[in-house]
Amino acid sequence: MDEKGIQQWNVLGYWEPYPKAYYVGKLQENSLYVLKRRADQKTVGAAVLIEADERWKSDSDIPAYYVHNFVADTDEKGAGKILLGHIQELALKDKKACLRLDCSFSNERLNRYYEQEGYALVGTCVDGNYFGNKREKLLF
């Protein structure tokens, strides 16, 4: 991230609220999804999917998947798009009306990307040093 000028997880103290134990727990709950490259099984993307998120309390009556801890290898072109595509397929199969996520409002490139992928800006959120844009993609 530092090499590419991305200031997000690397500067916000991300590992304090999300240590390795958090991901082990999500794996045990079957809510951690991993994208691996076919050729060598290298992990090139990951995300946690949950069905409720306190940042979206007022919108909780709509069936949704909330995408958390989304990460894609910046050297693996298209990995993020592929993983989001699989997440969308799963959401449709599970009859979710939308996908919701948030990203740092200061990451202009990522916000443009989500906008291009159909994730509309629907609000903001604050969590400690993190200031985010809430985004939603309607599926049907």
Side-chain angles (χ1 to χ4, degrees), residues 56 114-115 117-123 134-138:
W56 295 78
Y114 284 136
E115 191 78 32
E117 291 299 313
Y119 289 83
L121 179 62
V122 295
K134 294 190 328 186
R135 295 190 164 275
E136 176 179 82
K137 182 174 186 176
L138 299 176

Side-chain angles (χ1 to χ4, degrees), residues 12 20-21 54 58 69 75 81-82 92-93 103 127 134:
L12 294 174
K20 183 178 179 180
E54 65 184 38
S58 63
N69 316 105
D75 292 327
K81 186 171 187 153
I82 291 168
L92 287 167
K93 180 178 119 339
C103 65
D127 186 3
K134 294 190 328 186

Side-chain angles (χ1 to χ4, degrees), residues 4 11 16 28 44 46 65 67 84 88 90 96 98 121 125 132 134:
K4 300 210 181 235
V11 296
E16 291 171 23
Q28 292 169 344
V44 295
Y65 273 140
V67 182
L84 281 176
Q88 183 172 318
L90 180 62
K96 302 299 181 188
C98 63
L121 179 62
C125 60
K134 294 190 328 186

Side-chain angles (χ1 to χ4, degrees), residues 30 34 54 65 73 99 108 110 117 119 123 128 134 139:
N30 294 317
V34 177
E54 65 184 38
Y65 273 140
D73 186 335
L99 288 174
E108 294 176 20
L110 187 57
E117 291 299 313
Y119 289 83
K134 294 190 328 186
L139 301 177

Side-chain angles (χ1 to χ4, degrees), residues 45-107:
V48 170
L49 291 185
I50 57 177
E51 295 188 73
D53 184 338
E54 65 184 38
R55 293 177 182 163
W56 295 78
K57 282 182 188 173
S58 63
D59 301 304
S60 61
D61 58 332
I62 299 170
Y65 273 140
Y66 298 85
V67 182
H68 277 258
N69 316 105
F70 184 78
V71 61
D73 186 335
T74 55
D75 292 327
E76 191 72 28
K77 189 160 177 61
K81 186 171 187 153
I82 291 168
L83 183 53
L84 281 176
H86 288 304
I87 290 169
Q88 183 172 318
E89 288 174 17
L90 180 62
L92 287 167
K93 180 178 119 339
D94 292 344
K95 299 185 178 10
K96 302 299 181 188
C98 63
L99 288 174
R100 293 178 171 152
L101 52 78
D102 60 82
C103 65
S104 176
F105 76 81
S106 64
N107 190 331

